[in-house]
Amino acid sequence: MNNLFRNMLAKVGGILVPALVLSIGAVSTANAALMLRLDDPTTAVIEVTVTDQGAGDMNPTAGVIVFMGPVGAFNINVSTGVNNTTLGSALIPSLDLNSIDLTMGTGSLNVYLTDTGFTALGPAMMAIGGVTAGNVTYSAWADGSNVAFAMGNPLGILGPFSGAFSATAGTVGLAASSAPYSLTQRVSIVHSAAGATSFNATLVVPEPGTLALLGLALVGVAVFARRRK
């Protein structure tokens, strides 16, 4: 998990909570299905799906999933997914996905993080930073069906990237028109030779009044993640 991102969210929450304490119940989330998925898109099967605190989750903490293992051509994968339960604010629906993925040759991999039960409505903001020996593309969706991994409303696409990269983007309208809804991240990796990719991707849906503050936070996350590589 990106400590800078967590600290920024904590600071924003500390500013907002006193003023919005009466409305927490209206905008809180019920994160019932945090799930991490790693999939080789060249095959007809989904290789790995891990539910929070379920089989394959190496971290017992609620709101955090850690997976380690091979998937398809990617013989080493260490992937972590975190939701806003751990990031520290019930006012700001958020997902944070980071992964280190290595191949000994060519290969493709999609890494997903999804959660359901989000109720706070606002524009979505995306950020990603990392380094790759191939190409990386980051996509995100919201879905009013409130189903895990559903892709009804595209929120944006960042990339494809190569080498060291960082980027942010935000939606003009609301991420979802009604609540509850699900959020899904997907980071697609393509290697044409042996090598490694590492990244940190965030997805946040702040209340409109907090959008400017979260924009600054996400820019900081992307720049910090790139400088660490």
Side-chain angles (χ1 to χ4, degrees):
M1 179 174 57
N2 192 303
N3 289 330
L4 178 62
F5 180 61
R6 180 176 60 186
N7 292 338
M8 287 180 175
L9 284 179
K11 290 178 181 179
V12 172
I15 295 170
L16 295 174
V17 168
L20 298 176
V21 66
L22 295 178
S23 64
I24 289 178
V27 298
S28 63
T29 61
N31 297 294
L34 181 65
M35 301 174 73
L36 177 71
R37 174 174 288 174
L38 286 81
D39 176 47
D40 180 348
T42 67
T43 69
V45 299
I46 295 172
E47 280 75 13
V48 174
T49 300
V50 181
T51 301
D52 188 17
Q53 298 184 303
D57 183 3
M58 301 186 68
N59 190 314
T61 305
V64 180
I65 300 174
V66 176
F67 168 80
M68 297 176 62
V71 177
F74 284 75
N75 55 310
I76 298 176
N77 302 279
V78 182
S79 303
T80 303
V82 182
N83 67 12
N84 58 283
T85 300
T86 302
L87 292 174
S89 176
L91 298 173
I92 305 173
S94 54
L95 296 175
D96 186 289
L97 174 62
N98 65 81
S99 193
I100 301 173
D101 311 280
L102 291 83
T103 59
M104 299 302 292
T106 62
S108 299
L109 181 70
N110 289 334
V111 186
Y112 298 83
L113 185 66
T114 191
D115 203 352
T116 63
F118 294 108
T119 58
L121 299 176
M125 298 195 69
M126 303 166 58
I128 188 170
V131 62
T132 180
N135 291 290
V136 169
T137 303
Y138 174 32
S139 307
W141 296 264
D143 196 282
S145 68
N146 197 35
V147 173
F149 300 109
M151 300 176 178
N153 180 29
L155 299 178
I157 299 175
L158 295 176
F161 304 106
S162 60
F165 59 90
S166 65
T168 61
T171 60
V172 175
L174 298 180
S177 58
S178 62
Y181 59 92
S182 63
L183 292 173
T184 299
Q185 300 173 278
R186 182 184 71 194
V187 176
S188 300
I189 305 169
V190 178
H191 285 182
S192 57
T197 290
S198 63
F199 67 85
N200 189 89
T202 60
L203 175 60
V204 183
V205 184
E207 288 291 288
T210 71
L211 188 60
L213 291 174
L214 262 295
L216 293 175
L218 288 177
V219 169
V221 169
V223 171
F224 181 72
R226 182 174 181 177
R227 287 180 177 177
R228 289 182 64 192
K229 307 305 178 182

